[in-house]
Amino acid sequence: MPWPLRWFVRVLIVLLALAVVLAGVLVYTVRRSFPQVDGSLRLPGLSGTVEIYRDKSGIPHIYADTAADLFMAQGFVHAQDRFYEMDFRRHLTAGRLSEVYGAATLDNDKALRTMGWRRVAEQELPELAQETRDFLAAYAKGVNAWLAANPNASDRSLEYSLLKLQGSGGKPEKWTPVDSLAWLKAMAWDLRSNMEDEIDRALALTKLPRERVEQLYPGYPFDRHAPIVNEGGIRQGRFEQRPLPQQQGPQQRTRAARALTQAAKTLSDVPETMSAADRAGIGSNSWVVSGEYTAGGKPLLANDPHLAPNMPSVWYQAGLHCRKVSEECPYDVTGFTFSGVPGVIIGHTDKIAWGFTNLGPDVADLFLEQVEGDAYRYKGQQLPLDVREEKIKVAGGQTVTLTVKSTVHGPLINDVMAGAKPSGEANAVALQWTALTPGRTADAIFALNRAKDWDEFKAAAALFEVPAQNLIYADTSGKIGYQAPGRIPVRENGDGTWPVPGWTGEYDWKPAPIPYDQLPSIENPADGFIVTANNAVIDPGRYQPLLTQDWAYGYRSERIRSLIRDAIKKGPIDAADMARIQQDTADGFAETLVPALERVDLAGPAVQARELLTSWDGTQSAGSAPAAYFNAVWRHLLMLTFNDDLPEGARPTGGDRWYEVVRRLLDAPDDPYWDDVTTKGYTETRDDILRLAMASAHQELADRLGEDVKKWRWGDLHTLELVNGSLGTSGIEPVEALFNRGPLSVAGGKDAVNATGWNVQSGYEITAVPSMRMIVDLSDLDKSQWINLTGASGHAYHENYWDQAAAWARGDLQPMLSSPAAVKKAATHTLKLNP
């Protein structure tokens, strides 16, 4: 062999050997953190043996003799699978990301310290029931037992090994009950109400007159889309489920619009933990059907919360079972949990089931303040600002001191912005938000988990203060119900739709929120089913006080109601029918927009694309060419119609509010919104914009997907990337490749029942998803079904890291087993924890 070739071969052998060694080291490092799921382990602090059965998906069912052992074991199991995620969230909610990730996360930390989530959680802990504090402490003990058994970075997860290489991450601190409570504040933030709508209205007002801004926020279409509660109202200080006379609706709020751009930037710096940056895609579906209409003769309950896609999923499936259910150990509950929080958030016990959707009440207001130095004006006086300093440690940099200032209404959220200097009138923005007051939501979780009937469920719901959710209910006796819980403020004046002057005091919140007994509630309604999909709870014409003005507009809820009625007509409903409804992809606006598009004179290659819509049924499967074109037209239509009129922060992102706006504009061909103000000497009308939208959509898709319109596929545009919330956005491709997965081609659309949201301003990629799906069959709980977005494990390359994702994308479900016999039969791993 010639010497140059021999030299090349030797170099190649050395490089291959190094690659094998590095691969082996990587495999060893990755697998070293995988949890032990078989055999036995000693867990100091237990009072008795705990058994953990896992199925092929890695979903644990925990069996214990005492409640304290049950929640301690849950903490241990969460830490086994998801501790890095828990630790990341802990740093996030405390405003301490920069300790690990450096200056890149400093704005995030400033925003979180200004909000003070962890400070509120610290104040909240002593106000909880003693039992709740005990369970939080037991959970923390389980997490810390796992930490003690895994002292090295490579034992904990791959992320810690990488952080150790770059000199950050350190040794995780012990878990505390406050760490769990702070995550509930993140849940409340992500499911907050209309705060962005308040800012968007005020920002739009900087370019448009009030009446044109109000065009963009039409009233809820009660004539076409039913609210959740169609029976009853308040009588003698309580909500009663019987007809009441008409009442008057709320009045409009006054304008105020200074310092809002800085406030909007501050809010955007608060990291989204469950929701997407495009919050218009955040919502949920839930519905329950009476046993009168089901094959099993007992209720069926479905739920799918729409949140940001996370890797791993925000949810963790688990079963928590007392071996003998008793007053001392009352838990037999299966469902979706949050890693870092004890108990089950959504699921079922052996007797009841419940689901959540975001109620969306107006629980946050922006108060415009007059600040001068360290004082602010309030009711004719100059009051001192509440001032505190926050020290933010920065990895690789100097500690940063942040001064946080607050008025009587709350923290000044624009005050963390460089250059936002006090000057003149209304020069600061304060945030008043119910979650910044200590509450008892943690008590509610345990109360829900042990509830046995409707009365106990309602008592548990009374403790669920933030975030306010639509709670649907079903039980094995056959009852179905709905309850609106939450701490919802009552205002002296205004309706929460616009930022208001804080210095007058006239828009202050009253000391007491809406009494729980006055919040809407129904049981066994005449329809025989209940649907919630972030639609209006109740017609304000017959219900006061005000819940909000900013609902979703009822396209999903009305579609679900229609599909349920159709299923009832065909015969008894079963879980398969419920699953088909969850997978429905129909676009609720297609039947309105397509005829308008077809009436427009059109020439050129876009004509062939428009022909795709002629026989289209409005569904949005991943393989649909018409869906691809329709959504592209919708995207360009919104941008062409509104982007020239609105500032960047207030531009449309899509969704059913814009369905209502455009629906009305289609009947007004000469409305000023149709005109493109950037074109001088010509005034566009409706048909001009519709024609240009079709042509622009065709051009975009031809460039991206090819000239053959019949080969276009919605799923080639509408894709889902599963991105790790920390290192998955590092900007370092090899690191991101370790933790991120996808893309997946996915059906559905923003306000389809299968609500896979996307932002028209940025493209068709998915920004919000049904983060899990669940169907509970109260006739036989082992016939219930569920699916998670990713998988049980938070360890990259573990077999359960994203093993449910492909099934989720197809719309498949897996058995949601809960009885001891079914759980043990399905188990592929069994671990015993001994004292």
Side-chain angles (χ1 to χ4, degrees), residues 16 30 129 172 245 323 330 371 426 441 479 565 596 617 656 699 810:
L16 288 173
V30 167
R323 290 193 183 94
V371 174
T441 298
K479 179 170 286 188
R565 290 194 191 98
D617 62 359
D656 63 358
Q699 186 62 56
R810 291 192 303 269

Side-chain angles (χ1 to χ4, degrees), residues 47-362:
S47 64
T49 298
V50 174
E51 294 169 306
I52 302 168
Y53 298 92
R54 291 179 184 256
D55 64 12
K56 64 180 181 180
S57 297
I59 298 168
H61 284 263
I62 304 170
Y63 290 83
D65 291 322
T66 70
D69 282 358
L70 191 64
F71 294 118
M72 182 178 176
Q74 185 186 15
F76 181 83
V77 168
H78 275 170
Q80 279 188 305
D81 286 333
R82 298 282 193 96
F83 182 76
Y84 176 78
E85 177 193 24
M86 294 163 60
D87 196 23
F88 175 75
R89 289 175 177 175
R90 166 168 57 178
H91 280 82
L92 183 153
T93 56
R96 294 175 52 200
L97 289 174
S98 300
E99 291 181 15
V100 180
Y101 304 101
T105 56
L106 188 56
D107 285 345
N108 301 144
D109 286 345
K110 286 181 177 180
L112 263 298
R113 295 290 184 97
T114 299
M115 299 277 285
W117 290 359
R118 187 171 181 88
R119 294 178 72 252
V120 179
E122 290 168 349
Q123 297 164 11
E124 197 164 87
L125 182 62
E127 296 190 12
L128 297 173
Q130 182 61 53
E131 181 183 61
T132 300
R133 298 201 300 272
D134 291 344
F135 292 159
L136 288 166
Y139 179 90
K141 187 188 296 184
V143 176
N144 293 329
W146 179 86
L147 269 178
N150 295 274
N152 299 314
S154 56
D155 294 331
R156 295 190 296 266
S157 77
L158 177 59
E159 289 93 335
Y160 285 112
S161 296
L162 292 175
L163 290 172
K164 187 177 180 180
L165 288 175
Q166 71 171 37
S168 63
K171 184 176 181 180
E173 303 158 5
K174 288 187 175 181
W175 194 262
T176 72
V178 172
D179 296 329
S180 297
L181 295 179
W183 176 240
L184 296 179
K185 297 302 169 189
M187 179 176 74
W189 174 256
D190 284 352
L191 299 176
R192 62 197 182 274
S193 54
N194 70 336
M195 195 186 313
E196 282 74 17
D197 286 332
E198 283 189 44
I199 290 179
D200 288 353
R201 282 182 173 96
L203 289 177
L205 202 60
T206 64
K207 291 190 67 175
L208 297 170
R210 172 85 174 237
E211 62 272 14
R212 291 193 65 199
V213 175
E214 290 179 342
Q215 274 186 270
L216 306 179
Y217 295 87
Y220 186 88
F222 286 100
D223 57 330
R224 291 183 287 112
H225 297 163
I228 297 168
V229 176
N230 294 297
E231 306 172 19
I234 295 175
R235 188 186 296 275
Q236 296 180 343
R238 295 176 61 88
F239 188 91
E240 294 189 8
Q241 192 175 336
R242 51 188 172 127
L244 296 173
Q246 291 287 318
Q247 298 176 0
Q248 295 299 312
Q251 57 183 332
Q252 288 295 316
R253 195 174 193 173
T254 60
R255 174 202 171 189
R258 285 288 305 270
L260 286 161
T261 301
Q262 289 91 345
K265 174 62 168 66
T266 300
L267 293 174
S268 71
D269 285 330
V270 180
E272 301 294 351
T273 48
M274 295 188 296
S275 70
D278 168 24
R279 288 190 44 77
I282 300 306
S284 300
N285 301 322
S286 70
W287 64 93
V288 60
V289 180
S290 166
E292 176 185 358
Y293 299 122
T294 67
K298 293 292 174 67
L300 289 166
L301 182 149
N303 194 192
D304 54 286
H306 308 154
L307 303 170
N310 287 300
M311 173 55 86
S313 166
V314 69
W315 300 107
Y316 182 96
Q317 298 149 287
L320 305 174
H321 311 281
C322 294
R323 290 193 183 94
K324 182 179 180 181
V325 177
S326 63
E327 188 172 336
E328 292 74 26
C329 193
Y331 299 100
D332 185 7
V333 57
T334 300
F336 291 87
T337 75
F338 290 142
S339 56
V341 180
V344 167
I345 306 299
I346 295 174
H348 69 79
T349 70
D350 58 332
K351 292 184 171 60
I352 76 165
W354 70 94
F356 286 179
T357 64
N358 200 15
L359 177 69
D362 195 340

